[in-house]
Amino acid sequence: MKLLRRTRGHRASASASGLVAVAALLASGTASAAPDAGIKASTLGAQAAQSGRYFGTAVAAGKLGDGTYATILDREFNMVTPENEMKWDTTERTRGSFDFAPADQIVAHATAHGQRVRGHTLVWHSQLPGWVGSITDANTLRGVMNNHITTEMAHFKGKVYAWDVVNEAFADGSSGAHRASVFQNLLGDGFVEQAFRTARSADPAAKLCYNDYNIEDWNAAKTQGVYRMVRDFKSRGVPIDCVGFQAHFGTGGPPASFQTTLSNFAALGVDVQITELDIAQASTTAYANTIRACWNVARCNGVTVWGIRDSDSWRSGDNPLLFDRNGAKKAAYNSVLTTMGGAPAATTGTADTAALPGSYSWSSSGVLMSPKPDSTHSIAGLKDPSVVYYNGKYHVFASVASASGYGLVYLNFTDWSQAASATHYYLDRTPIGSGYRAAPQVFYFAPQKLWYLVYQTGNASYSTNSDISNPNGWSAPRNFYASMPDVIKQNIGSGYWVDMWVICDSGNCYLFSSDDNGHLYRSQTTLASFPNGFANTVIAAQDSNKYALFEASNVYKVQGSSQYLLLVEAIGSDGRRYFRSWASSGLAGSWTALAASEANPFARASNVAFPGGSWTKDISHGEMVRAGYDQTLTIPSCRLQYLYQGKDPNAGGDYNTLPWRLGLLTQTNSAC
């Protein structure tokens, strides 16, 4: 069959046979129209991220091989703290000889699953190797301390979000003074300042924290001692960015003044964090009160619980955590999730498992949306839709195609039955401008409180808007890359660089793209750097049959699980478009085939019923109807819907003039 091409975009059908398995390599103020709250997530980390916070846990390297432990870790938490692996007696057991292997294992696991890392801890009087405690010369100790901080921070530079630079330097009781330790005894009060100044030099980008216990009650002498130190540091320019409150509570939970304490420290100009939370007998009220105190303070970055299951806790006899010894969610889990604004989760007595099926069946609507040409837009096809449901309306962005090229259009409606009559707003009349713009993707980037519209212009481009419902509010196009990445230039062959797709986890954002030549590419930047810094472009998946891994990739987070779903459009042996699917536990992890063949496709005419008549034999470029609208691209785990493009099976000719229309698939074999 002759291959018909369009300008810098998707191609027409061509015969293909013999699918080859994919080689997956992956391992502030708010504008009035911006969301007031994110999706009601069903996991701790995902819900915390809706307010720009994290929900973390302490992790032990030796337990990562425990399936239940790792499943909960990867599903629930977007921050991890090595429990012991970064402490002095592990990292520098003998002077000048460093061992980071156990900590590296945790950091690598976190990176693969999109979790940030808190470093714990650089200077602490406890868990010190004997050789440090036996030092008797101040200059020697100062040099040893500085070298330890510098070496460890240099090893993890760029991988650790925040460090507990000094841990537990203050004494219990009524003195409000420093505790006795080898550091205090030889270097005096100044050792804390010295440690922070050394840490800033070692990694200027990392947050530097002081961490302690029993400083949650504003009226306590120990709390006041730490407060005076932080106030002094801020007044003299000593680098300190945050204060950690360990929050090891009894059955009663936090003191009544806890929120006041957090607020007063935050008023000094530092962030506050709950760093080692556990509560005896895991009272639902006590946990809710603790979370509420943090969420009521703007500079409270997040919460870390000190362990996953009760059996993992240093105080296991108190059953102080959110998961029981079998890994089941306790009542306190729902209390925490609800307090953060999330959807209550079941406490069934068994650990959760992911719910993606291995095969799918669908029912299709008829044509829901068609082109609406006007005096200046002669439109042949409406295609490549992106959709979010926000503020009571569906917001759809799509490509409009004609013999003269491509542009973008926006429409909104409250119900699918109104889609056909919705007004079409052509975005070439906005700052997005005219010229080649195609294949849009829209999402709300919560950290910046901005909507992003991603599209292809020959490069990977984007515009931003504070109000998704205002077509004229989009900024002029900007590019993610200065030019096409080298790895794409080297592999694109006679293909085209198309279909840019952005998705973020709790620590990083990833940009996927295709080349119509059997390759799926992935670039990466940090969540904090987005939209800048996309680099490390790699081939995320490839197929020797280019039609089996053609274009239009979609990647989603599956709600309530640790799974991600990858969809890629293929051209079948009959020349018709369809979708294949894979699953992974992380955006940088390995992809496992799910419904990935012509015989068992994710979505193909063969597994789609058309109650109103078979108006298309192609299931082509589209997007899942999401559970929310933010950068995590979270979808339900069942009862899926997919907005797609189809066309009259008898239509032919130049690709740009094919009569693409939009329809909606609804999953019919859902298990829930």
Side-chain angles (χ1 to χ4, degrees), residues 477-500:
R478 284 167 280 185
N479 293 336
F480 288 110
Y481 305 92
S483 62
M484 182 186 292
D486 288 343
V487 67
I488 302 179
K489 293 178 183 177
Q490 295 159 7
N491 290 278
I492 194 170
S494 60
Y496 297 81
W497 188 25
V498 295
D499 299 338
M500 290 69 190

Side-chain angles (χ1 to χ4, degrees), residues 292-504:
R292 189 176 298 111
C294 176
W295 258 238
N296 285 343
V297 177
R299 294 198 68 154
C300 189
N301 303 146
V303 174
T304 295
V305 288
W306 207 242
I308 296 177
R309 303 162 299 190
D310 285 334
S311 55
D312 305 316
S313 173
W314 69 295
R315 47 192 299 208
S316 59
D318 290 333
N319 297 318
L321 297 175
L322 300 177
F323 296 86
D324 69 18
R325 294 165 192 269
N326 295 317
K329 299 168 183 173
K330 296 160 66 172
Y333 174 98
N334 279 348
S335 177
V336 167
L337 192 63
T338 302
T339 302
M340 292 191 294
T347 53
T348 60
T350 59
D352 289 358
T353 57
L356 288 176
S359 62
Y360 291 84
S361 60
W362 308 87
S363 178
S364 177
S365 70
V367 174
L368 292 179
M369 286 164 268
S370 302
K372 290 188 176 182
D374 62 17
S375 60
T376 59
H377 297 86
S378 178
I379 307 301
L382 182 67
K383 55 197 308 289
D384 312 330
S386 181
V387 57
V388 293
Y389 186 76
Y390 166 66
N391 203 21
K393 292 183 178 181
Y394 292 98
H395 300 264
V396 175
F397 295 80
S399 302
V400 285
S402 66
S404 60
Y406 278 72
L408 301 176
V409 69
Y410 162 70
L411 54 157
N412 67 67
F413 44 87
T414 58
D415 187 83
W416 293 108
S417 64
Q418 301 172 345
S421 60
T423 300
H424 287 209
Y425 298 94
Y426 292 100
L427 299 185
D428 60 357
R429 295 168 174 165
T430 75
I432 287 176
S434 60
Y436 178 69
R437 285 99 169 91
Q441 179 207 10
V442 69
F443 59 88
Y444 180 70
F445 190 63
Q448 296 174 3
K449 296 182 169 58
L450 283 175
W451 292 94
Y452 273 75
L453 189 65
V454 176
Y455 46 95
Q456 62 194 45
T457 59
N459 200 325
S461 300
Y462 67 93
S463 297
T464 59
N465 194 343
S466 62
D467 182 356
I468 192 174
S469 65
N470 176 17
N472 294 313
W474 293 102
S475 66
R478 284 167 280 185
N479 293 336
F480 288 110
Y481 305 92
S483 62
M484 182 186 292
D486 288 343
V487 67
I488 302 179
K489 293 178 183 177
Q490 295 159 7
N491 290 278
I492 194 170
S494 60
Y496 297 81
W497 188 25
V498 295
D499 299 338
M500 290 69 190
W501 182 270
V502 172
I503 180 172
C504 306

